[in-house]
Amino acid sequence: MSKTLTINGKTHTVDLPGDVPLLWVLRDEVGLTGTKFGCGVAACGACTVQIDGEAVRSCQVPLEDVWGEVTTIEGHGTPDALSALQEAWITHQVAQCGYCQSGQIMQAAALLAQTPRPTDAQIDEAMSGNLCRCGTYPRIRAAIHDAANRMEG
Amino acid sequence: MSRIGKIARRTFLIGSVAVVGGVAFGAWFVGRPAPNPLQPKDGEAAFNPFVMIDDKQITLFAPRAEMGQGVETTWAALIAEELDVTLDQVTVLHGPAAKAYYNSAMVGEGLPGKGYDNSEFSHWVGDKLGHLGKLFDLQLTGGSTSMKDGFERMREAGASARETLKEAAAKRLGVKRADLKTEKGAVIAPDGSRIAYTELAAEAAGLDPVTADLRDPGEWTLIGQNQPRTDIVAKTTGTATYGVDVRLPGMKFASVRMNPRLGAPMNGFDASAAHTMPGVEKVIDLGTGVAVVATNTWLAMQALEAIKFDWGEAPYPSETDAVFDTIARAFDDKPNSTMRDDGDVSVLPEGATEVTADYSLPYLAHATMEPMTATALLEEGKLTVWAPNQAPTIIAMKCADAAGLETDQVEVNTTYLGGGFGRRTEVDYAVYATRVAAEMPGTPVQVTWSREEDMTHDFYRPGAMARMRGAVKDGKAVLLDGKVAAQSCTFQAMTRITGLGGGGPDKVHVEGAFNQPYAIPNYRMAGHLAQLDVPVGFWRSVGNSFNGFFMESFIDEMAIAANRDPLEFRIELAEAEWAPAAGVLKAVAEMSDWKARKRPGRGLGVAMIYSFGTPVAEVIEVEEQDGMIRLTNAWIACDMGIALDPRNVEAQMFSGMVYGLSAAMFGEITFADGMVEQQNFPDYEALRIHTMPKVEVRVLETQDHLGGAGEPGTPPAAPALANAIFDLTGKRARRLPLMHDFNLFV
Ligand code: FES
Ligand code: FES
């Protein structure tokens, strides 16, 4: 099927079977490799992107079902124009291998959009689907709290 | 000593070479320089490894796998410390596979001693033997060796580059080199004017390199300070290139399905349905499995699902129980090693109480966050491989074999690694990519495994068993007699790399058991090798990962049998043997407020293990909440000798602990019908943010030697948790994972 997607504010038309997950459309067809493949079964969160601001596992969203505007890590902030969340992530030196971090950040961004001052319990609730085999959790938590402060100004 | 010292000095060479518009510096060991790895591009002269300066920029090479441990940053900081540049002034690259990048510390680790008791001299001998790493061309990242390996070499490269740049400036200005200073990437003239290194590069290229003494630690401005990671912005913005992110013009995507009965042949397969599926371009018979090449990775994986396979039989017992029966039988054989045999363990000391316990630990997968992947392109007489890997020179060798080429016809590009943990010292993923690319000359192909393929085709942490016997008397451990049985990952890996099996005592197999800094007068540790063909390999902390559990669970059992506080019991044993080990124990006692914290419904456990040159103590606190056991707090203390980058050491410590706790709670690889049963993360859970305890790390610097950081945080985690659960429930965990025997909060 041919489908036109809006990704990070730009439109892309792809011609692919409708069951190809958004993850692979982004990575292998559109060339946005910031979103990662970790498990393919909604168990790790490495593939997290936002559709209309809602955090979703892109490995679970078939192309034919993409219902809104897609934001990936590349659209969230760039090295030259970091988001407040990314600045906090850098201040706390969160990343180790870094492979899970695109997903962590996209999940955390959705959390902060909904809950500007999350409690530890709310962070647990929102972030528990995002696995980090390097165990960067303490710094993820600190960076989210810090970003909440920065964003309130 | 003086004559040997002279030879050592002579064998140490600093080179410098002209490059277009600039100069490159490096340090080479062992008499003759290794062939220069950085191939000259058109019109460029060949240049050497660690520092390169042209008229535009300063580039540092850190040819070690960056898998999260921060080696890229710390190696760059070691060079920058002597070169007088700041890390934001330089670009850091990994560089190609090259003999000049051999790991000098790796072979030194193979020496027979316990480690902590090494004299200066034997450390020196270890360094010299380390040069064998070059002879084996081991450009390997592993064994927590990177800092020991780079500590002097990188600083020497930086110092030589600095002095040579000063020499160029001295010539230009007509002054003495000694009258010049350097600062932030520039030479400062006596009148205070600055000449940037980039401006001096061309002139420096014409000079003989100048060597210089290394600075006194008191003068360090970068080493010992927290450095912002050089990879942090890229890894925070999705712009870092991992193995799966390599994109080349005309590239195809592929995936593989290999025999789930590991090492067995494939009798046949039917791919008729796969051939007609969307996007499928090629189905390739790899002999022990099949690759599908398609227009995207998911379509390739889907097509593999549609293939019917007839798999051959596994070369090992097909069920977990039978595998462990084989391991247990190894206890009946003569031990492969008895690396410690102090006193006499055959007689129970008069009036002592005997303690015994048997333990059993499962096979484990690495489960790196990025599944196995590599990209390869075969062109006329040349193979290019892009791979997240810990062993580029072995990749070059094995992929050359697979493509029918010579090693020097292979270029290996090392990307960032989405986790390594030892898995990427193996090269299977790169060899498969090469074999697929060989079927499609001129077309680059990226081969990415599904998570299921990754989990079921690992080189596993060996399953291991222990039979421990000890004795306590007057509140002290007076006897420890242990036997460990497991497959040898060292011998198996050596066979894979060299084609020749290992021989002699396997130290790695008993590390973490024989070499612990406890003064127990009668102390023997025997290692029995299980003969099995389950693929096994190096899993973060290797032998320490199981031996540490055996030792520190059993020490705890002895403490309880002796009616002693487990932490005080250990401090006493350590104090009499090696002060830094007692030091980390005292630190966690203080950090956790060990005595005052105890209360009903809460359990505290401690473990201390010396591994990779670093003693690490951990205290884990668990609480019973709603009938479930929850990890609430953790305290870690380590003694690094010198902490090159304390914030990074802290990150490595809690990272290592999380890896160990995840395995202790949930990790196991089991076999049914010859196949691994666990397929994906739901079957191989790990700690997540809501199950992660709060953690505090203290980094001490009291010991004389530079310790490793990437692995030593792992071994104490499992026994500290098991001991905490005993403290809470009164029940000993003599097997893992804990989820089978305890109601854990998940
Ligand atoms: S790849 Fe989508 S959740 Fe793991
Ligand atoms: S930083 Fe490595 S998996 Fe999260």
Side-chain angles (χ1 to χ4, degrees):
Chain A
M1 67 179 279
S2 173
K3 176 147 176 157
T4 300
L5 299 174
T6 305
I7 307 167
N8 303 330
K10 285 204 199 102
T11 57
H12 297 264
T13 303
V14 292
D15 194 6
L16 283 169
D19 58 350
V20 176
L22 176 60
L23 168 65
W24 298 106
V25 177
L26 293 169
R27 291 188 50 79
D28 292 2
E29 307 283 345
V30 180
L32 291 171
T33 55
T35 305
K36 303 299 189 221
F37 164 58
C39 68
V41 298
C44 78
C47 65
T48 305
V49 301
Q50 293 172 8
I51 300 182
D52 289 343
E54 182 195 344
V56 298
R57 306 287 181 242
S58 65
C59 69
Q60 299 302 305
V61 180
L63 174 63
E64 62 200 0
D65 290 352
V66 177
W67 61 87
E69 288 197 17
V70 179
T71 308
T72 70
I73 185 76
E74 291 92 342
H76 173 79
T78 64
D80 297 327
L82 296 165
S83 72
L85 184 58
Q86 285 168 319
E87 277 172 8
W89 233 255
I90 289 168
T91 301
H92 291 272
Q93 299 279 300
V94 176
Q96 292 193 23
C97 89
Y99 193 80
C100 72
Q101 299 296 340
S102 297
Q104 304 279 3
I105 290 169
M106 294 311 287
Q107 186 73 40
L111 165 67
L112 290 173
Q114 266 209 328
T115 313
R117 275 207 172 267
T119 61
D120 278 333
Q122 287 168 320
I123 291 174
D124 283 350
E125 175 78 27
M127 303 299 296
S128 64
N130 289 74
L131 190 63
C132 175
R133 286 292 280 159
C134 300
T136 62
Y137 307 121
R139 292 187 181 180
I140 289 175
R141 186 184 300 283
I144 293 175
H145 284 308
D146 184 8
N149 288 334
R150 290 174 197 235
M151 286 155 82
E152 279 205 346
Chain B
M1 229 1 221
S2 65
R3 195 170 142 262
I4 301 171
K6 244 185 243 157
I7 294 167
R9 187 155 287 281
R10 241 189 302 127
T11 58
F12 174 75
L13 303 177
I14 297 275
S16 77
V17 192
V19 295
V20 169
V23 61
F25 302 92
W28 289 324
F29 286 76
V30 195
R32 83 197 145 82
N36 190 311
L38 300 178
Q39 298 302 322
K41 301 226 169 70
D42 15 348
E44 275 184 12
F47 51 81
N48 63 357
F50 298 113
V51 181
M52 192 175 89
I53 304 175
D54 64 13
D55 54 355
K56 290 183 198 62
Q57 63 174 359
I58 304 168
T59 306
L60 308 183
F61 291 88
R64 288 291 172 273
E66 179 50 71
M67 45 193 166
Q69 81 282 41
V71 65
E72 178 185 282
T73 309
T74 311
W75 268 39
L78 289 169
I79 301 173
E81 183 67 66
E82 290 286 345
L83 183 56
D84 283 337
V85 293
T86 56
L87 288 184
D88 54 8
Q89 289 179 309
V90 301
T91 306
V92 188
L93 298 178
H94 179 281
K99 295 181 183 186
Y101 294 150
Y102 72 98
N103 184 334
S104 68
M106 189 65 101
V107 178
E109 291 291 307
L111 289 175
K114 294 192 277 285
Y116 62 88
D117 62 346
N118 278 355
S119 64
E120 277 303 326
F121 179 73
S122 73
H123 260 262
W124 182 86
V125 173
D127 289 346
K128 298 304 122 187
L129 280 181
H131 298 331
L132 292 171
K134 172 161 180 285
L135 305 178
F136 296 153
D137 301 342
L138 277 178
Q139 182 186 351
L140 210 69
T141 310
S144 296
T145 53
S146 293
M147 294 311 135
K148 288 170 231 173
D149 176 28
F151 186 53
E152 295 219 332
R153 275 208 285 172
M154 295 307 102
R155 286 185 297 146
E156 270 157 351
S160 170
R162 180 194 72 227
E163 289 305 309
T164 311
L165 289 159
K166 277 165 71 179
E167 183 68 24
K171 287 216 155 63
R172 187 198 278 198
L173 298 171
V175 299
K176 285 213 218 67
R177 178 157 56 97
D179 296 334
L180 298 172
K181 293 192 174 57
T182 48
E183 185 189 272
K184 290 199 173 126
V187 177
I188 314 296
D191 66 0
S193 62
R194 306 168 64 88
I195 315 174
Y197 288 170
T198 45
E199 280 175 52
L200 290 164
E203 287 151 76
L207 303 175
D208 282 340
V210 184
T211 53
D213 289 338
L214 295 179
R215 286 183 174 145
D216 216 55
E219 297 172 53
W220 289 344
T221 59
L222 296 175
I223 299 172
Q225 306 297 317
N226 297 335
Q227 301 303 327
R229 293 177 65 118
T230 50
D231 55 1
I232 199 78
V233 173
K235 287 179 173 178
T236 308
T237 52
T239 55
T241 301
Y242 296 88
V244 288
D245 300 333
V246 170
R247 292 292 176 271
L248 300 162
M251 191 178 93
K252 299 294 178 194
F253 298 90
S255 195
V256 291
R257 175 69 53 86
M258 309 307 291
N259 194 337
R261 299 197 185 108
L262 303 163
M266 174 173 67
N267 299 329
F269 67 99
D270 173 4
S272 44
H275 276 293
T276 65
M277 289 176 67
V280 171
E281 306 215 336
K282 215 174 168 87
V283 175
I284 299 169
D285 181 351
L286 294 171
T288 55
V290 168
V292 171
V293 183
T295 52
N296 79 43
T297 309
W298 190 77
L299 292 171
M301 289 177 183
Q302 291 301 107
L304 284 167
E305 290 290 321
I307 297 177
K308 294 195 188 72
F309 294 97
D310 177 6
W311 300 123
E313 291 304 313
Y316 45 83
S318 63
E319 312 298 317
T320 308
D321 286 352
V323 168
F324 276 83
D325 286 347
T326 309
I327 297 173
R329 274 202 297 279
F331 285 121
D332 303 336
D333 298 339
K334 205 165 120 324
N336 159 267
S337 73
T338 307
M339 304 278 306
R340 189 164 186 161
D341 194 357
D342 295 347
D344 181 3
V345 296
S346 67
V347 281
L348 194 65
E350 177 87 35
T353 311
E354 194 174 55
V355 188
T356 58
D358 293 352
Y359 303 91
S360 176
L361 297 179
Y363 286 80
L364 293 170
H366 294 82
T368 59
M369 204 71 201
E370 179 188 33
M372 292 303 108
T373 183
T375 305
L377 167 63
L378 183 70
E379 296 162 299
E380 194 62 35
K382 183 174 187 216
L383 174 72
T384 312
V385 178
W386 293 259
N389 76 90
Q390 297 174 244
T393 49
I394 302 173
I395 291 207
M397 183 171 96
K398 294 293 178 185
C399 292
D401 283 353
L405 297 173
E406 296 299 322
T407 304
D408 61 7
Q409 292 171 290
V410 182
E411 178 186 316
V412 181
N413 299 289
T414 301
T415 62
Y416 282 122
L417 288 71
F421 311 129
R423 174 65 178 87
R424 288 179 159 106
T425 58
E426 300 290 341
V427 302
D428 50 337
Y429 47 93
V431 170
Y432 293 151
T434 299
R435 292 177 61 197
V436 173
E439 298 290 319
M440 313 186 68
T443 302
V445 192
Q446 179 165 93
V447 181
T448 302
W449 301 14
S450 65
R451 172 59 58 192
E452 291 78 7
E453 190 70 14
D454 182 284
M455 196 162 283
T456 55
H457 295 79
D458 202 341
F459 295 88
Y460 301 96
R461 198 292 299 271
M465 303 171 90
R467 293 182 182 166
M468 307 292 275
R469 172 180 156 260
V472 292
K473 188 184 166 185
D474 304 331
K476 281 192 176 8
V478 291
L479 185 150
L480 176 63
D481 181 18
K483 295 188 177 84
V484 175
Q487 289 180 259
S488 165
C489 29
T490 318
F491 293 171
Q492 214 191 66
M494 274 172 74
T495 306
R496 279 193 291 273
I497 297 170
T498 64
L500 306 167
D506 179 1
K507 176 181 165 186
V508 171
H509 180 258
V510 286
E511 66 184 359
F514 85 90
N515 59 344
Q516 293 307 292
Y518 285 140
I520 302 173
N522 306 291
Y523 183 166
R524 178 172 72 179
M525 197 55 61
H528 297 260
L529 299 190
Q531 303 303 329
L532 270 165
D533 286 329
V534 177
V536 291
F538 304 108
W539 186 96
R540 198 172 191 172
S541 82
V542 200
N544 298 288
S545 73
F546 48 85
N547 291 316
F549 181 80
F550 301 147
M551 270 301 282
E552 281 298 87
S553 297
F554 193 64
I555 291 282
D556 222 68
E557 300 209 31
M558 289 207 282
I560 300 301
N563 244 321
R564 295 289 309 277
D565 174 272
L567 220 164
E568 280 173 2
F569 183 77
R570 284 177 173 83
I571 290 175
E572 252 174 49
L573 286 175
E575 195 119 65
E577 185 77 2
W578 192 47
V584 294
L585 284 162
K586 288 178 191 163
V588 289
E590 184 191 296
M591 292 160 75
S592 64
D593 202 3
W594 173 262
K595 286 236 151 117
R597 260 197 113 70
K598 304 241 178 195
R599 68 160 202 223
R602 177 184 277 173
L604 285 171
V606 63
M608 186 280 295
I609 297 171
Y610 167 82
S611 66
F612 307 96
T614 306
V616 180
E618 295 176 11
V619 167
I620 304 280
E621 179 190 84
V622 293
E623 285 185 8
E624 193 180 315
Q625 294 180 5
D626 307 322
M628 286 179 290
I629 297 172
R630 184 169 189 157
L631 279 64
T632 43
N633 280 291
W635 297 270
I636 309 174
C638 59
D639 192 335
M640 310 299 299
I642 304 170
L644 301 180
D645 182 339
R647 182 171 52 182
N648 188 52
V649 170
E650 178 191 303
Q652 283 309 297
M653 286 300 146
F654 70 70
S655 170
M657 181 192 76
V658 171
Y659 203 70
L661 291 176
S662 293
M665 292 163 75
F666 311 113
E668 66 174 337
I669 289 296
T670 55
F671 301 88
D673 194 19
M675 304 183 200
V676 168
E677 294 185 285
Q678 292 70 23
Q679 298 282 317
N680 203 319
F681 290 129
D683 322 315
Y684 197 80
E685 251 309 332
L687 228 58
R688 291 174 180 261
I689 197 165
H690 66 289
T691 43
M692 171 82 193
K694 286 206 187 68
V695 56
E696 198 186 313
V697 182
R698 189 179 292 178
V699 181
L700 305 177
E701 298 178 288
T702 77
Q703 65 152 322
D704 295 337
H705 303 298
L706 189 59
E711 294 166 278
T714 299
L721 174 58
N723 295 339
I725 289 180
F726 170 78
D727 190 41
L728 178 70
T729 66
K731 192 174 158 195
R732 275 285 165 202
R734 289 197 178 134
R735 62 170 195 175
L736 298 179
L738 297 162
M739 64 175 181
H740 291 318
D741 301 313
F742 299 92
N743 189 13
L744 304 176
F745 171 77
V746 287

